[in-house]
Amino acid sequence: MGYWSPASRREELQRGAMSVSAEPVPLSGVAWASSPAALPTAWTPILSTVEGAAANFGKGFGQKSSYYLCQSCQAGPGDVVADVQVLGERTALPAGYAYAQEFLEPRTAVSKKKRVCVRLVPVGTAELVVFDIKLSSKSKAVPHYVKIGEIGSFAIWCKKGHAPKPKPLPKPRNISLTLKQLSLETAEPNQAKMEFPSEKSATHFGSKHASLKRHDSIYEASNLYGISAMDGVPFTLHPKFESSLARGTHAFSFLNNLNIKSLADIEKEYDYTFVVERTAAARLPPSIC
């Protein structure tokens, strides 16, 4: 069984979050835990200092239990850590701050001589946020980190930076405005308007002119998915046939020239036995000498 590096879980969570946003993810919480097994998912205990020493608080003369400082790095909506402070037992809790959470097993307690408090703010409302926390000995300096205090034999450092800006979301399009732009009518009141026939204004058989009322537009939102390419096209006969219909009793005389064939006539006229093709297919290929 391999050794679990103290920074491996934190780095894994940060890599998973950065793979989604491609930017550093601020911390979403700071807490105390008596053991890694007591932590919920997405929380990472700080098990060692930057020098590699064990980072268990409370372990010393007459102390039976120990506990670890932990941090959460969870991308998405919610709160982020804007600031972390170490306060003495007689220092009042500043406004907007809260003591670090505790995930402790039975018979385990955290010392109250010095306490860690955090300020949580909603995502997108803070300019500076905390991205990471490290521990070291009191004599060790951690580059690019700010020292926030000391507890026991450890110095606590945090890394701050500007909060990543959320990516702008595309504005939803106004469908009603888009449909209005599809209208064939112009905005000029004095300009001639194009009109088309509709079912409500259908005229008698053979009429040449039809109009579409303003409130019967085929481009309304309610008809957008029910129109076809033939909507708005008037149904009229060719002038050649209109002249024939206008002659009264001889209106359909042009139909006398049509020869209507039965199914038997069509089969007899176009019957083909395929005898030549069958004979050619039955011939044997010439023998090869």
Side-chain angles (χ1 to χ4, degrees):
M1 181 176 180
Y3 175 71
W4 180 36
S5 172
S8 60
R9 179 173 172 82
R10 180 174 68 256
E11 293 176 354
E12 180 182 353
L13 291 173
Q14 289 180 344
R15 283 196 302 268
M18 290 176 64
S19 64
V20 177
S21 61
E23 292 182 350
V25 179
L27 297 184
S28 56
V30 179
W32 293 105
S34 53
S35 67
L39 282 173
T41 308
W43 285 87
T44 305
I46 304 175
L47 299 178
S48 65
T49 65
V50 293
E51 298 95 340
N56 47 345
F57 291 78
K59 188 176 182 180
F61 180 77
Q63 185 74 27
K64 297 181 180 180
S65 60
S66 60
Y67 46 90
Y68 300 88
L69 189 63
C70 310
Q71 58 186 354
S72 174
C73 183
Q74 198 168 13
D79 295 335
V80 293
V81 178
D83 189 30
V84 182
Q85 293 185 14
V86 176
L87 303 179
E89 59 180 343
R90 296 183 180 179
T91 305
L93 185 68
Y97 285 75
Y99 292 118
Q101 293 181 260
E102 297 182 358
F103 302 102
L104 304 177
E105 297 171 345
R107 299 181 181 181
T108 304
V110 177
S111 174
K112 299 299 189 287
K113 292 183 178 181
K114 287 189 176 181
R115 306 185 68 174
V116 177
C117 62
V118 297
R119 183 165 67 92
L120 298 175
V121 297
V123 175
T125 60
E127 295 183 0
L128 292 177
V129 293
V130 179
F131 290 98
D132 191 24
I133 294 178
K134 288 186 181 297
L135 301 177
S136 71
S137 62
K138 294 183 178 181
S139 60
K140 176 71 174 179
V142 181
H144 309 296
Y145 281 69
V146 179
K147 186 177 180 180
I148 60 175
E150 297 177 353
I151 297 180
S153 59
F154 302 106
I156 303 178
W157 304 77
C158 72
K159 184 177 183 180
K160 287 188 175 183
H162 290 281
K165 296 181 179 179
K167 296 181 180 180
L169 298 176
K171 295 182 179 180
R173 297 186 63 182
N174 191 337
I175 300 179
S176 60
L177 179 60
T178 305
L179 294 176
K180 289 180 180 179
Q181 294 176 352
L182 294 175
S183 176
L184 298 179
E185 297 182 354
T186 60
E188 297 295 333
N190 298 329
Q191 187 175 355
K193 299 179 181 179
M194 185 179 297
E195 295 182 347
F196 295 95
S198 67
E199 295 181 359
K200 294 182 180 180
S201 59
T203 56
H204 61 85
F205 178 79
S207 62
K208 296 182 179 180
H209 301 284
S211 60
L212 178 66
K213 296 181 181 179
R214 182 183 182 87
H215 62 273
D216 293 335
S217 173
I218 60 174
Y219 291 96
E220 291 180 355
S222 59
N223 295 334
L224 181 61
Y225 299 100
I227 63 176
S228 66
M230 293 301 296
D231 286 344
V233 179
F235 179 80
T236 59
L237 291 177
H238 193 274
K240 179 179 65 174
F241 300 106
E242 280 192 348
S243 60
S244 300
L245 290 175
R247 289 197 289 267
T249 57
H250 302 286
F252 297 94
S253 59
F254 65 95
L255 298 176
N256 297 330
N257 297 327
L258 296 179
N259 184 17
I260 301 177
K261 298 181 180 180
S262 63
L263 179 61
D265 295 337
I266 296 174
E267 291 180 350
K268 180 179 180 181
E269 182 176 354
Y270 297 99
D271 181 50
Y272 187 70
T273 59
F274 294 94
V275 176
V276 178
E277 287 78 5
R278 291 193 181 94
T279 304
R283 292 177 182 173
L284 295 175
S287 59
I288 301 176
C289 300

